[in-house]
Amino acid sequence: MQTEVLRAFRFTLDPTPAQQEDLLRHAGAARWAFNHALGMKIAAHQQWRTKVQGLVDSGVAESIARKQVRVPVPMKPEIQKHLNRIKGDSQKQPWPAGSIGPARPCPWWREVSTYAFQSAFIDADQAWKNWLDSLAGRRAGRKVGYPRFKKKSRAKDSFRLHHTVTQPTIRLDGYRRLTLPRLGTIRVHDSGKRLARLITRGHAVVQSVTVSRSANRWYAAVLVKVRQDLPDRPTRRQQSNGTVGVDLGVKTLAALTQPVTLPGATDTLLVPNPRHLAADTRRLTQAQRALSRTTKGSARRRKAARRVAQLHHRIAERRSTYLHTLTKQLTTRYATVAVEDLNVSGMSASARGTVQEPGRKVRQKAGLNRAILDMAPAEIRRQLGYKTRWNGSRLAVCDRYYPSSKTCSACGWQNPRLTLADRTFTCGQCGLTIDRDLNAARNIAAHAVPTPLHSTVAPGTEETQNARRAATRPTTPRGGRQAAKKREDTGRQPPVPPQRSDPLTLQPPQHQEMAKGP
């Protein structure tokens, strides 16, 4: 099935010192434009709140006052027209000598591309819309807070450039150079042969490019509309391999029902967890300790901050490479990939508790949270979601509350007293002895339900759950403690005899809630 899809081709840039200054100038301009647009929106919102409060003070009900007051929030067209009227120009004398007038903003606008401003205005509109949709309950995931201004020392250096598709100014110059408007031609480390051939054959059209800086490296993500064939069925090789069950964990990154091949390793059922963060913990601790001992605003502090950023960037790149290798193997080799619906947000919640009810084993839980987030289960689920659609396979999801580790994969007998310390599952009914993760992977493969074919991330105007599978609204008030949600209840179990088959349907009602877990 041939269709048009949007794909991003990521390139590592190798700019000259002068080009690096231009890139930083564009990133600063985009940050300033975002703050300018957000400031105008906040001003309109404050004006609306002032008028509502005035009506409330005069005796009008607040619900009625909110409906009566109408203060339009400026969007991109109004903000851009307003900025064009008031902005200065470094190439012209804005005021006669000796005159006194207001300062004109951004007189340096001629030095950067106009698309850096326009894309920042669009981002500000999207941030405002996300907050309103989250406030009204139309946005899935955790509650989005009030939009905040971008600070130079904290916000990521990034900007986005567009162009006219019929007269492209974003293009490849050969296979090793990328031409950007107002920035010229920048050398890239990666080869652009694949993208260049798609454009030459008329199968791809460049839409935009997003340039960002991570630590000391610059990257360009070229967004391309590609015409490609999305297979609507698995290949013969995938059909012959069938379904693979995937159980994600901390001790081993993934336990599989069928083997995969990773670089430098043979076919394996237990994918090792590389623990990228733990491998660089000592270097990262030393770098952060050195950063904390520097003086704010000093050159040594900037150098120490670059060192910390480089370590974090290296960890993220290694993790991303490893996960992409694993997910590609799963989606190209098997017809169906079965995973568990994990609540990563609840699994990695803090156990510190409140002042009235302090938590227990907070340090141990914090270490477990780091290990869970280091393995990035939400990222694995996200990659499997779109790669299965690209490769003709299907994604199957097992119910979140199904006790996959406690149920025997051979006969269905359940051991309600199984804890996380028990790494081997022994069935009391048929005598099966197997690694608990492999047992869980078999149960996931048997009980997962396939998702609809070619389902989109956001069908229609609605949205799905976010990547960490969090609920639309938190279950506790702001500032309160949210209990850590696990896949299965591993606490103390009541004296319930082992059950055969599905325990959620055979146990008494009072024991069903305990088996489901918090």
Side-chain angles (χ1 to χ4, degrees):
M1 181 180 63
Q2 192 175 52
T3 182
E4 288 187 347
V5 296
L6 291 176
R7 299 190 63 174
F9 289 80
R10 186 169 180 254
F11 299 99
T12 305
L13 301 180
D14 186 16
T16 63
Q19 289 175 337
Q20 289 186 18
E21 293 294 333
D22 291 339
L23 294 174
L24 287 173
R25 189 177 296 110
H26 277 73
R31 182 175 59 250
W32 181 92
F34 179 89
N35 292 339
H36 176 78
L38 183 58
M40 294 185 64
K41 297 178 187 296
I42 293 177
H45 185 226
Q46 294 294 340
Q47 183 181 0
W48 176 82
R49 294 180 60 179
T50 302
K51 291 184 178 181
V52 170
Q53 188 61 37
L55 292 178
V56 172
D57 295 340
S58 63
V60 182
E62 184 177 357
S63 59
I64 300 177
R66 286 174 173 269
K67 296 180 180 179
Q68 290 181 354
V69 178
R70 289 289 183 268
V71 178
V73 176
M75 305 302 285
K76 175 184 176 295
E78 295 83 5
I79 295 173
Q80 188 171 349
K81 291 179 181 178
H82 178 264
L83 181 62
N84 290 337
R85 290 195 302 267
I86 66 173
K87 66 183 179 182
D89 193 343
S90 58
Q91 298 182 4
K92 298 179 181 179
Q93 183 67 25
W95 300 102
S99 63
I100 299 177
R104 297 274 182 159
C106 64
W108 33 261
W109 60 272
R110 291 182 181 272
E111 302 176 9
V112 297
S113 174
T114 181
Y115 291 110
F117 290 90
Q118 297 181 20
S119 60
F121 294 156
I122 295 175
D123 293 342
D125 291 350
Q126 186 63 43
W128 193 263
K129 181 179 181 299
N130 292 342
W131 171 66
L132 292 178
D133 290 347
S134 179
L135 200 64
R138 295 187 297 268
R139 179 181 173 85
R142 286 188 171 182
K143 186 176 180 180
V144 177
Y146 198 75
R148 296 181 296 179
F149 294 103
K150 291 186 177 181
K151 188 177 180 181
K152 181 179 180 180
S153 58
R154 296 189 63 87
K156 185 176 182 178
D157 290 331
S158 174
F159 62 93
R160 188 170 67 255
L161 302 178
H162 301 267
H163 70 157
T164 304
V165 176
T166 56
Q167 299 176 352
T169 55
I170 303 174
R171 60 185 182 275
L172 284 172
D173 185 6
Y175 294 156
R176 291 288 182 175
R177 291 188 174 275
L178 180 65
T179 300
L180 303 177
R182 298 302 301 269
L183 290 168
T185 303
I186 304 178
R187 188 182 182 277
V188 298
H189 282 286
D190 320 86
S191 176
K193 180 184 295 186
R194 183 183 178 189
L195 177 58
R197 289 183 175 179
L198 288 174
I199 296 175
T200 303
R201 296 169 184 171
H203 296 168
V205 178
V206 177
Q207 303 293 313
S208 63
V209 59
T210 301
V211 182
S212 60
R213 183 173 68 93
S214 296
N216 59 336
R217 293 191 178 183
W218 287 92
Y219 297 93
V222 183
L223 185 64
V224 182
K225 182 182 291 186
V226 184
R227 223 173 45 244
Q228 67 178 31
D229 293 329
L230 290 181
D232 54 356
R233 66 185 63 182
T235 62
R236 291 183 179 179
R237 177 195 177 194
Q238 291 174 327
Q239 291 178 356
S240 62
N241 292 334
T243 302
V244 57
V246 182
D247 179 68
L248 302 178
V250 175
K251 182 181 179 181
T252 58
L253 181 62
L256 310 175
T257 57
Q258 298 193 54
V260 295
T261 304
L262 297 176
T266 58
D267 290 354
T268 177
L269 294 177
L270 297 176
V271 179
N273 186 2
R275 300 178 183 268
H276 299 285
L277 180 61
D280 278 344
T281 297
R282 183 179 60 84
R283 295 187 183 91
L284 192 59
T285 302
Q286 293 176 350
Q288 290 175 333
R289 185 176 295 131
L291 175 63
S292 65
R293 292 171 176 170
T294 57
T295 305
K296 291 185 177 181
S298 64
R300 289 180 179 271
R301 187 175 184 85
R302 290 192 294 270
K303 182 178 179 180
R306 286 196 298 268
R307 173 60 177 166
V308 174
Q310 290 173 6
L311 290 174
H312 277 295
H313 175 64
R314 185 173 66 177
I315 294 172
E317 287 295 312
R318 290 179 175 177
R319 181 187 298 117
S320 177
T321 302
Y322 195 82
L323 297 185
H324 275 291
T325 304
L326 173 62
T327 54
K328 183 178 180 180
Q329 283 281 330
L330 294 174
T331 55
T332 57
R333 177 176 290 193
Y334 302 102
T336 304
V337 182
V339 295
E340 199 171 9
D341 185 19
L342 299 178
N343 181 13
V344 184
S345 179
M347 293 167 57
S348 58
S350 175
R352 63 180 179 272
T354 60
V355 177
Q356 294 78 12
E357 297 181 1
R360 297 174 56 252
K361 297 183 178 181
V362 180
R363 291 178 61 88
Q364 293 87 332
K365 185 60 170 63
L368 177 61
N369 293 346
R370 283 193 298 270
I372 293 175
L373 297 178
D374 186 25
M375 56 172 283
E379 177 64 14
I380 297 176
R381 170 70 183 274
R382 186 190 72 86
Q383 292 182 13
L384 290 176
Y386 72 85
K387 288 184 180 181
T388 50
R389 296 192 297 270
W390 284 0
N391 297 290
S393 53
R394 297 189 67 177
L395 179 66
V397 181
C398 185
D399 184 72
R400 177 179 298 178
Y401 299 105
Y402 178 75
S404 58
S405 296
K406 298 181 180 181
T407 305
C408 178
S409 58
C411 65
W413 178 85
Q414 185 202 3
N415 181 10
R417 299 178 181 85
L418 188 72
T419 64
L420 291 177
D422 301 327
R423 304 312 307 174
T424 301
F425 179 86
T426 302
C427 181
Q429 186 74 24
C430 64
L432 175 67
T433 301
I434 188 177
D435 184 273
R436 63 170 290 155
D437 295 332
L438 293 178
N439 179 68
R442 292 182 180 182
N443 286 323
I444 292 172
H447 295 84
V449 178
T451 57
L453 286 174
H454 305 294
S455 60
T456 56
V457 176
T461 57
E462 301 177 355
E463 293 192 10
T464 60
Q465 292 175 314
N466 63 356
R468 297 183 67 190
R469 318 299 296 164
T472 304
R473 287 289 181 270
T475 57
T476 56
R478 185 185 296 271
R481 176 189 177 188
Q482 183 178 4
K485 299 183 180 64
K486 301 179 181 178
R487 296 177 296 170
E488 303 168 6
D489 188 8
T490 57
R492 183 180 298 275
Q493 298 289 339
V496 182
Q499 301 286 337
R500 185 177 176 89
S501 186
D502 189 357
L504 301 184
T505 59
L506 297 181
Q507 287 183 359
Q510 64 269 21
H511 292 153
Q512 291 184 19
E513 298 298 325
M514 295 180 182
K516 289 183 179 180

